[in-house]
Each structure stands twice: as C-alpha cells, then as structure tokens.
C-alpha cells in the first residue's frame, strides 16, 4: 500500500457537541458516546444510525448471496484495534478535540472506495461528517484535495488507516482497469477470481468503478469448465455432456463457459454444440496469445479460434494479457479479455489524509509526491 499519515494541527472546538463518555466496543476499540445530531452524508440527510443505500451510489457493488460488507469493515477495524483500542490516540488526543482532515491524492489515477471509506467512518463514529468533491470512478491528479472528514479527532484517526487501505487498494484496481478497458476496446475487460481473500466483493466492485465488467463472482453463479474439470471428466465433450445433464436434472439456468487451449478443442466444442442442445454460452480461448522474443505477441491462433466460433457463442481471451498486449488482443474480434493481474498484482494508489494540508503539500513537493 502507498504510505499515508495524519498530521495534527488540533483546535479545541468549544462550540461543537462534546463527548459525554467513552464506550469500549471490543471489535472496534474505544468509541465516543455523543449527543446525536442529524448530518448530511452521501447527499442525503440521515440520522444517527444510517445504512448507506447502495441504490443511491453512482456505481453499485456487485451482488453476492452471503458476502457481508459491513462484517468485512468491522473485521478490518477489529484487527487494527485489538483488545485495547488506539492507545496512542487515548494517550495524546483530548476527547473533546474536533478537527477537519482532507483527502489528498499523491499520484494520478481513478478514485475508488469513496463509498466504502464513508462506511468505515460511520462504523467508527456516526457523528463524523464526510464530504467529497469527487465520486467513485472520477479521475484525480497528484496534489488534488478531493474530500474531507470533520468531527472528533480520535474517531478520525482510528478510522483513517482502514479507510485509506480500502481506498488505496480499490483505486489501484480501478486505475489499472480503466487503462486496460480503454486499450481493449471494443473487447470488454474482465477480472477473475484471483482476488485477495476476504475482499472478493471489494476487488470486483473496484473493477466496475474502473470501467471493467465482472466475471463470475464465485463458484456458485456460473458453470466454468476448466482444464482440471476436463481432465477428470475424460475430455471436453464428456465435461460438456455432464454439465448439460446436471443443469437439466436440477432445472437450473445459468451461464456456462468452457476453457479451450487448442484449435482442436474448439472444434470439439463446436461439433458437440452442433449436434446437441446445450447450455453453453461462452468459450474461453486460453493462452492462444503467444509471446514473441521481441516482446510483441502473436494473436494468429486467437484470431483463428474467434473466426471458427463466429457469433455462435461469446468468446473470451485469457493469458498473456498486459497493458502492452491488450490492445492487439482486443482487435481480434474477441468479446471479452480476462486479466487476473487487475486484482492479484494491484499497485495501490497513493492517497493520504491530512489535517495540516499546507505542510503536507510542502513535504509532498519536496519528495515529488504532491
């Protein structure tokens, strides 16, 4: 993750609502009881215990039947707070201090995770007020002040690292996705299941924010016949037959994709589909992009496979997909290009949260990071 820190220029806010006590919640650390007031969040007036409406977001998270996004946030806060809470804050920050901290982009990219960061701040302290000048999916440039959070200093510092960790990772994914999606056109870019454990929905949400499309969410929402399934089933035709029988017997309707690695396997799939009513919807063309010694790629095999399939099924290219190769792959006529690198090799976008923004910008200019 890119570095981020919080520098203080504290002021005692005498007119602000003061804390009436401290509450220790083991999953979250120390939190403040407060006199509740209505605040404006995400362009909607909500009361003490709002739950952000995903329907109001510019780019909604993908759906998942069992994923608990609030649970992920609580877990991230809990691992940070441990069983004592933020001992540095408790030792150094008076409970009645209120501050305003600003989000600064320290490099160019696509911002993502704004909605998730807001959820983190709310979970720590519902009285914190967060405002943004940008929204998820917008471009940011180095040195841009794109948002602020106001309220109790202790609460802001407790939430800071977790909020930034989510934002930096999601922004890194969105930035790479945007670059690949632009180069891949007219093909559409997909991620894979190569996501950080526990962050499946978060990573895939970031891909959507960057302008990509989601591949299957998990093992449950799409049949994807890969090389190991084919080997165990005794061949690609047997695997397709087994899937069609399974779906028919259970009266299930879902997308079905099969991985092919050779032109011969493509021919077998097409031959099976020409003789049988099948649920197959997409054919993956795996590692048909051949790297060359000069750093270029040969897409001849991929083009041949795409032409063989025609428009009978959707097509997806996989393997040897990089920023340098994705444009050439996208010109072959393939419908989708999937890249595990979008999420498994993400470089976080450098973002910081600062109170003394002038000093932060001075330091940033000195280190060429603002």
């Amino acid at each position: 993750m890119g570095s981020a820190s919080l520098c203080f220029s504290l002021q005692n806010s005498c007119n602000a609502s003061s804390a009436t006590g401290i509450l220790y919640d083991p999953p979250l650390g120390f939190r403040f009881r407060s006199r509740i007031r209505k605040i404006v969040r995400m362009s909607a007036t909500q009361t003490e215990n709002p739950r952000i409406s995903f329907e109001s977001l510019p780019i909604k998270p993908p759906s998942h039947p069992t994923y608990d996004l609030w649970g992920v946030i609580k877990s991230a806060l809990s691992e940070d707070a441990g069983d004592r809470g933020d001992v540095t804050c408790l030792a150094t920050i008076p409970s009645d201090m209120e501050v305003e901290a600003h989000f600064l982009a320290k490099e160019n990219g696509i911002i993502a995770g704004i909605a998730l960061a807001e959820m983190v701040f709310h979970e720590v302290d519902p009285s914190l007020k967060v405002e943004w000048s940008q929204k998820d999916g917008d471009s940011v440039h180095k040195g841009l002040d794109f948002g602020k959070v106001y309220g109790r200093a202790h609460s802001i510092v407790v939430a800071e690292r977790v909020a930034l960790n989510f934002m930096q990772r999601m922004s890194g994914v969105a930035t790479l996705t945007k670059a690949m999606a632009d180069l891949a056109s007219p093909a559409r870019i997909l991620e894979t299941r190569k996501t950080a454990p526990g962050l499946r929905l978060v990573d895939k949400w970031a891909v959507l924010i960057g302008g990509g499309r989601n591949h299957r969410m998990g093992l449950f929402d799409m049949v994807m016949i890969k090389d190991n399934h084919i080997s165990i089933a005794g061949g690609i035709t047997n695997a397709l037959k087994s899937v069609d029988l399974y779906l028919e017997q259970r009266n299930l309707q879902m997308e079905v994709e099969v991985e092919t690695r050779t032109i011969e396997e493509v021919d077998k799939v097409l031959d099976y589909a020409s003789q049988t009513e099948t649920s197959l919807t997409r054919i993956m063309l795996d590692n048909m992009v051949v790297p060359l010694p000069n750093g270029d790629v040969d897409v001849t095999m991929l083009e041949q496979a795409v032409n063989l399939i025609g428009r009978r099924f959707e097509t997806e290219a996989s393997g040897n997909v990089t920023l340098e190769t994705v444009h050439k792959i996208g010109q072959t006529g393939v419908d989708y290009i999937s890249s595990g690198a979008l999420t498994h090799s993400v470089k976080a976008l450098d973002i910081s949260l600062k109170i003394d923004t002038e000093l932060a910008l001075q330091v940033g200019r000195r280190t060429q990071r603002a």
Side-chain angles (χ1 to χ4, degrees), residues 111-283:
I111 198 67
I114 281 177
L116 191 53
E118 179 124 358
M119 294 167 71
V120 172
F121 285 113
H122 172 264
E123 188 62 38
V124 171
D125 183 349
S127 73
L128 293 176
K129 183 177 180 180
V130 190
E131 297 176 5
W132 308 97
S133 62
Q134 308 295 111
K135 64 182 183 300
D136 281 331
D138 284 349
S139 296
V140 295
H141 61 265
K142 185 167 67 173
L144 179 67
D145 180 341
F146 63 89
K148 62 183 179 180
V149 55
Y150 176 82
R152 294 183 181 84
H154 178 282
S155 299
I156 292 173
V157 178
V158 167
E160 174 220 4
R161 172 44 52 203
V162 171
L164 286 175
N165 282 352
F166 280 128
M167 290 183 72
Q168 289 178 298
R169 179 177 176 84
M170 290 183 71
S171 297
V173 171
T175 298
L176 180 56
T177 300
K178 171 65 173 171
M180 277 207 175
D182 287 348
L183 290 168
S185 182
R188 287 155 287 183
I189 201 76
L190 305 169
E191 86 292 82
T192 68
R193 285 168 49 239
K194 296 174 183 178
T195 54
L199 296 181
R200 174 67 55 82
L201 187 140
V202 173
D203 281 356
K204 285 179 172 282
W205 190 3
V207 168
L208 293 180
I209 291 170
R213 301 284 188 93
N214 285 154
H215 211 304
R216 59 176 177 162
M217 181 59 64
L219 300 173
F220 59 91
D221 57 332
M222 179 184 191
V223 175
M224 188 166 178
I225 310 169
K226 293 181 67 66
D227 52 357
N228 284 337
H229 303 110
I230 292 168
S231 296
I232 295 169
I236 201 164
T237 302
N238 286 345
L240 285 166
K241 286 179 180 178
S242 296
V243 166
D244 282 332
L245 180 61
Y246 177 89
L247 295 178
E248 181 182 4
Q249 289 177 339
R250 288 158 181 78
N251 196 27
L252 291 175
Q253 291 185 340
M254 61 175 60
E255 291 185 337
V256 176
E257 180 171 9
V258 63
E259 176 184 305
T260 60
R261 296 157 289 180
T262 64
I263 297 299
E264 181 184 7
E265 284 189 325
V266 173
D267 282 331
K268 287 181 179 179
V269 170
L270 295 177
D271 182 60
Y272 171 79
S274 68
Q275 301 179 45
T276 310
E277 186 175 346
T278 178
S279 297
L280 182 66
T281 54
R282 186 185 304 173
I283 300 176

Side-chain angles (χ1 to χ4, degrees), residues 324-341:
E324 292 71 34
T325 64
V326 70
H327 177 71
K328 192 169 185 178
I329 297 170
Q331 302 309 301
T332 62
V334 71
D335 296 307
Y336 297 99
I337 303 172
S338 56
S339 171

Side-chain angles (χ1 to χ4, degrees), residues 28 32 45 63 74 115 133 174 186 208 236 244 294 343 354 356:
L28 301 178
F32 295 102
T45 302
S63 61
K74 290 179 180 179
S133 62
L208 293 180
I236 201 164
D244 282 332
N294 64 1
T343 54
K354 301 289 186 182
D356 191 343

Side-chain angles (χ1 to χ4, degrees), residues 22 24 30-32 84-94 154:
I22 296 178
Y24 182 69
F30 288 90
R31 299 173 64 188
F32 295 102
R84 292 182 183 274
D86 189 336
V87 293
T88 310
C89 282
L90 292 169
T92 61
I93 301 177
H154 178 282

